[in-house]
Amino acid sequence: MAKGGLGRGLGVLLKDATAETGSNVDYREIPLNKINPNPNQPRIGFSEEHMQELENSIKKDGLLQPILVRPMGDGYEIIAGERRWQACKRLDTETIPAKILILNDVESQQIALVENLQRDNLNAIEEARGYRRLIDLSGCKQKDLAEALSKSTVFISNAMRLLDLPVEVQDMMIEGFLSAGHGRAILSLSDEEARIKLAKKIVEENLTVRETENIARLYSSQGLERTKRIPSPRSFGIAARKLRKLLQTGVRVKTVRGKNKIEIEFSDENDLERILAAIEDKEVAPPRLIDQQVSNVNWQ
């Protein structure tokens, strides 16, 4: 797909993802035991409360939307709708309505991301990672993605800024301890240690967003940030882009507390195995620029 635009993939696939909610969708009933989950599922977890609500809805009204699957081996792999599939399994139903699409790996990931991003119950970090993954997969720009998803460019940009937070702070947001508003306030600090320190203080003292903003200003004015961020070498960005393309996941090359690190994102154990297999299959040796400048690999 061409860089700088949505290309054939995302523009067409957006229509397919939207079609899932239509009332005149052709589908067939597929046995649950013939369906496997998507190892690249964008959503990190399903809350028990939401699962119970979905189960109750299915009991009362049935499954109103089919899931999306693609043929895989002698069965099918979920493209979108894993939560519905999990709920049906918990209800011991034998089959589930599904629309079957013929897609390659990249197209499947695109639809899974779009379908999840069009829903309202993603947490802020899952949403931000979804936007970044779509940009990486499609080679589009933020403004193109914003237009395709009916969002403003500023909205997409602000959402993705949360990925500049330390991974430890991102994890706090995923677990529900911090809101997106907290995250934006923490970003006003430039030092990573100060950001982590403030995040822990928010959780410990149950601070509001307004209180967090006031403390962030105090941190800055009193010089509590130990060091100002030093721009990373251009080679770090080049290395990160090459690794993202090779491993098909988020990768960051950065310096933390005087040590150079590579952070590689993975969603679960299956995704970790996929990444390791990609490295082993290609016999990937650290690129020369990484070998020279990055001394520590941090698997996230």
Side-chain angles (χ1 to χ4, degrees):
M1 282 175 261
K3 290 286 181 184
L6 292 177
R8 190 208 75 81
L10 189 54
V12 173
L13 295 174
L14 276 166
K15 297 178 182 179
D16 285 329
T18 303
E20 183 198 4
T21 62
S23 58
N24 297 317
V25 176
D26 293 330
Y27 63 87
R28 70 176 66 170
E29 293 282 338
I30 298 178
L32 287 176
N33 60 11
K34 285 285 188 180
I35 300 174
N36 294 309
N38 183 350
N40 297 307
Q41 161 65 242
R43 189 182 301 277
I44 295 173
F46 305 105
S47 75
E48 181 59 31
E49 179 183 357
H50 289 156
M51 287 298 298
Q52 191 60 56
E53 289 176 357
L54 181 56
E55 286 181 47
N56 293 337
S57 173
I58 294 174
K59 285 181 187 176
K60 180 181 177 182
D61 303 314
L63 190 63
L64 301 180
Q65 295 179 353
I67 65 173
L68 297 181
V69 299
R70 62 172 178 157
M72 185 65 66
D74 59 355
Y76 300 89
E77 179 183 89
I78 295 173
I79 299 171
E82 182 172 335
R83 193 163 66 100
R84 281 163 275 167
W85 174 70
Q86 293 282 9
C88 287
K89 284 184 65 178
R90 288 166 55 150
L91 291 171
D92 292 325
T93 61
E94 294 183 359
T95 63
I96 188 171
K99 180 179 180 181
I100 302 172
L101 300 177
I102 307 300
L103 303 173
N104 60 35
D105 290 345
V106 172
E107 291 170 335
S108 176
Q109 289 184 59
Q110 287 178 325
I111 281 196
L113 287 163
V114 171
E115 197 269 351
N116 276 277
L117 288 169
Q118 288 177 336
R119 299 179 182 275
D120 295 328
N121 53 355
L122 282 178
N123 66 59
I125 296 300
E126 287 176 329
E127 183 176 3
R129 289 176 180 175
Y131 294 143
R132 185 169 69 184
R133 191 74 179 274
L134 270 176
I135 287 173
D136 290 342
L137 287 171
S138 304
C140 66
K141 297 180 180 179
Q142 287 188 14
K143 65 178 182 178
D144 300 317
L145 182 61
E147 181 179 352
L149 295 175
S150 300
K151 307 278 188 182
S152 71
T153 304
V154 172
F155 179 91
I156 299 293
S157 177
N158 285 339
M160 293 182 64
R161 282 186 65 235
L162 294 173
L163 299 180
D164 291 333
L165 290 167
V167 173
E168 184 175 347
V169 179
Q170 292 185 38
D171 289 342
M172 293 181 192
M173 294 183 65
I174 291 171
E175 293 166 7
F177 295 115
L178 302 174
S179 69
H182 286 121
R184 286 189 288 271
I186 294 171
L187 280 170
S188 65
L189 301 177
S190 60
D191 178 60
E192 183 158 325
E193 288 189 34
R195 288 176 173 179
I196 294 173
K197 179 179 178 180
L198 179 53
K200 290 179 177 179
K201 184 178 181 66
I202 295 168
V203 175
E204 291 170 359
E205 300 181 19
N206 194 28
L207 299 177
T208 65
V209 172
R210 179 62 60 86
E211 289 170 335
T212 302
E213 291 170 344
N214 292 335
I215 292 175
R217 283 193 289 269
L218 182 64
Y219 272 35
S220 296
S221 65
Q222 293 186 353
L224 295 181
E225 299 180 70
R226 295 187 178 181
T227 58
K228 294 296 181 181
R229 177 186 294 176
I230 300 175
S232 297
R234 181 171 176 270
S235 58
F236 281 25
I238 295 173
R241 285 193 294 274
K242 288 183 177 180
L243 289 169
R244 279 197 295 268
K245 183 176 180 181
L246 172 63
L247 303 177
Q248 289 294 300
T249 190
V251 178
R252 298 180 68 189
V253 180
K254 61 181 185 177
T255 301
V256 180
R257 301 176 187 175
K259 294 183 179 180
N260 297 321
K261 295 187 177 183
I262 299 175
E263 290 182 355
I264 302 176
E265 293 181 7
F266 61 93
S267 57
D268 52 29
E269 291 183 358
N270 289 333
D271 198 27
L272 176 59
E273 290 179 4
R274 177 189 65 79
I275 292 170
L276 290 173
I279 294 174
E280 292 170 354
D281 288 347
K282 294 183 177 295
E283 296 182 351
V284 176
R288 185 177 178 184
L289 58 90
I290 296 177
D291 188 43
Q292 292 175 346
Q293 302 184 38
V294 180
S295 60
N296 181 35
V297 177
N298 180 20
W299 293 87
Q300 298 291 335

